[in-house]
Amino acid sequence: LGTSMMREHRRWKYSYKLMKRKADEMDDTTERSVAAIMAALQRTIDNPGLDWVAGPVPAVVAAVIVDDAEALKALLEAGHDVHENIETDAVVKSDDRGGYNALSVAGVLGREACLRAMHGAGVDMSTADSEGRSAVWAAAAEGREGCLRLLHEFGCDMGQPNKNGATPALAAAFAGHEG
């Protein structure tokens, strides 16, 4: 578990840095119709600016990346699937396995408003991405205490391990986060 956890942590930190850089570059969406939201998010959907993703990302993931909870609500109301993963075969750099969904991206980026929007839309907040990373696991790995409190309020399983058997507490400890 030690070597596997170290490798996963390196991949996670690399992916987080890329997602954070992309999120910092994005502008807020001001129009609220689904068509306008899709047009505004198209740049992120087609080219998320994440070096390890070769192709488009799901619209709901794009809304989380740009931290637009209102756009996310509209997309969910229009039937977009919050559990759709970034395709693992789109990975082009490092040994990252991709697989992130809107929940795990919200956890890693600390998107509390997006988590509230997903919860308000009736999303199962404990659902993990294709690599077994739940929003709790992702938030714990990045020390996102506000997200962890919120997910606890939502009744999420705070000990749900990822595919490698690493619990959120272990991921947090390995990343140097206390609490």
Side-chain angles (χ1 to χ4, degrees):
L1 182 64
T3 303
S4 174
M5 186 66 194
M6 288 173 57
R7 229 183 342 237
E8 180 154 345
H9 177 69
R10 282 193 301 268
R11 288 191 310 257
W12 191 257
K13 292 304 273 185
Y14 176 75
S15 300
Y16 167 74
K17 287 176 186 173
L18 295 173
M19 280 191 270
K20 178 71 175 124
R21 186 179 70 221
K22 182 60 180 178
D24 289 343
E25 295 171 1
M26 303 286 19
D27 296 326
D28 275 341
T29 303
T30 56
E31 297 166 87
R32 298 295 170 229
S33 73
V34 172
I37 289 167
M38 292 300 286
L41 293 175
Q42 199 62 50
R43 179 174 150 225
T44 303
I45 292 168
D46 291 340
N47 181 7
L50 306 175
D51 293 346
W52 49 271
V53 178
V57 299
V60 292
V61 174
V64 171
I65 290 171
V66 300
D67 198 14
D68 193 331
E70 291 301 315
L72 181 58
K73 284 181 200 175
L75 291 167
L76 293 173
E77 288 171 6
H80 287 257
D81 185 4
V82 73
H83 301 109
E84 187 177 351
N85 291 302
I86 296 174
E87 294 297 325
T88 56
D89 61 356
V91 176
V92 295
K93 287 191 177 178
S94 82
D95 56 353
D96 194 308
R97 291 285 164 251
Y100 302 97
N101 65 21
L103 286 164
S104 57
V105 171
V108 76
L109 292 177
R111 305 296 198 220
E112 293 178 39
C114 291
L115 290 170
R116 281 188 193 92
M118 288 183 270
H119 182 260
V123 170
D124 177 359
M125 301 300 288
S126 291
T127 301
D129 65 22
S130 65
E131 293 297 310
R133 297 171 295 226
S134 66
V136 169
W137 197 98
E142 294 304 324
R144 305 292 185 178
E145 293 177 20
C147 287
L148 290 169
R149 280 191 291 278
L150 189 61
L151 292 163
H152 183 262
E153 286 176 26
F154 294 158
C156 294
D157 180 355
M158 302 305 284
Q160 180 180 339
N162 68 3
K163 279 176 51 173
N164 294 327
T167 64
L170 180 61
F174 190 80
H177 304 296
E178 296 179 13

